[in-house]
Amino acid sequence: MVENKLLDNLKVDIEISPDLQNLINNSGEIGPESTKLGLRKVTREMSKQTKEKVRSLGLVQSGQLAKSIRGSTTKTKSYVGTKLWYAHFLEGGTAPHTIKAKRGKYLWWRGLKPPGVKKVNHPGIKAYKFSEGTFDKMQSSGEINSLFAKGVAEAIERLQNG
């Protein structure tokens, strides 16, 4: 199972051939190790492609978004995402909205004369779908299944060669 922490509803089920599933299930030490190695290959490539997509979309004002995209793998799951607070706004977009200052304070940014303003009408943000787009492309092309199978094959080869 591959998940994306940026959008919790993105999940990919990796289709495994019956022969491969049988090998994983019936090979005590090979099963968990091969699954983890397969998922690790998927995670690395998905992280790399998501970073490339962020750069290709021009979301690089500070470079922090691309740098923050990380992946991690457990025995049965793979996660790719970022912990940046604004990433989900860029991924999914926002509708136009009003931003108001809290409790008698003012909103202020460089170039604005003090004391600032009480509210701002934000025009919204278009959805860039950098994460979901990468995810969908890899899944529909079969790249996720292919990477997983390569990882499993490498794990089996490692265990057989000692």
Side-chain angles (χ1 to χ4, degrees):
M1 176 73 69
V2 180
E3 295 184 26
N4 185 308
K5 281 191 171 181
L6 194 62
L7 297 173
D8 290 335
N9 60 346
L10 289 179
K11 293 183 180 164
V12 174
D13 290 322
I14 296 175
E15 294 176 24
I16 300 173
S17 71
D19 292 337
L20 181 57
Q21 185 65 56
N22 189 32
L23 178 64
I24 290 171
N25 291 343
N26 296 320
S27 303
E29 60 187 71
I30 292 177
E33 183 63 25
S34 62
T35 301
K36 188 170 182 176
L37 226 124
L39 288 174
R40 192 174 293 150
K41 277 205 169 297
V42 172
T43 303
R44 284 184 184 146
E45 186 60 26
M46 192 175 294
S47 295
K48 178 181 163 190
Q49 287 189 30
T50 302
K51 288 177 184 185
E52 289 170 4
K53 180 77 170 178
V54 166
R55 291 182 185 111
S56 74
L57 289 169
L59 301 175
V60 291
Q61 189 171 15
S62 70
Q64 291 303 305
L65 179 58
K67 289 177 190 173
S68 73
I69 294 170
R70 299 273 187 269
S72 65
T73 305
T74 67
K75 289 180 182 178
T76 58
K77 290 187 180 182
S78 177
Y79 299 97
V80 177
T82 177
K83 292 183 179 179
L84 284 181
W85 66 271
Y86 59 83
H88 69 280
F89 296 126
L90 293 171
E91 174 72 19
T94 66
H97 57 283
T98 301
I99 302 170
K100 296 179 183 178
K102 295 181 181 176
R103 295 186 221 118
K105 296 186 178 185
Y106 291 89
L107 299 170
W108 186 85
W109 53 90
R110 198 173 336 149
L112 185 67
K113 292 182 180 179
V117 294
K118 290 283 188 177
K119 73 177 184 174
V120 174
N121 291 321
H122 193 288
I125 301 170
K126 80 173 196 171
Y128 287 96
K129 302 290 186 194
F130 56 87
S131 187
E132 185 177 355
T134 301
F135 195 80
D136 290 345
K137 181 182 132 241
M138 288 181 72
Q139 184 178 20
S140 64
S141 71
E143 190 172 2
I144 289 176
N145 287 345
S146 175
L147 287 165
F148 182 79
K150 284 179 187 175
V152 169
E154 282 180 23
I156 291 168
E157 189 175 314
R158 279 186 200 172
L159 289 168
Q160 287 175 345
N161 295 335

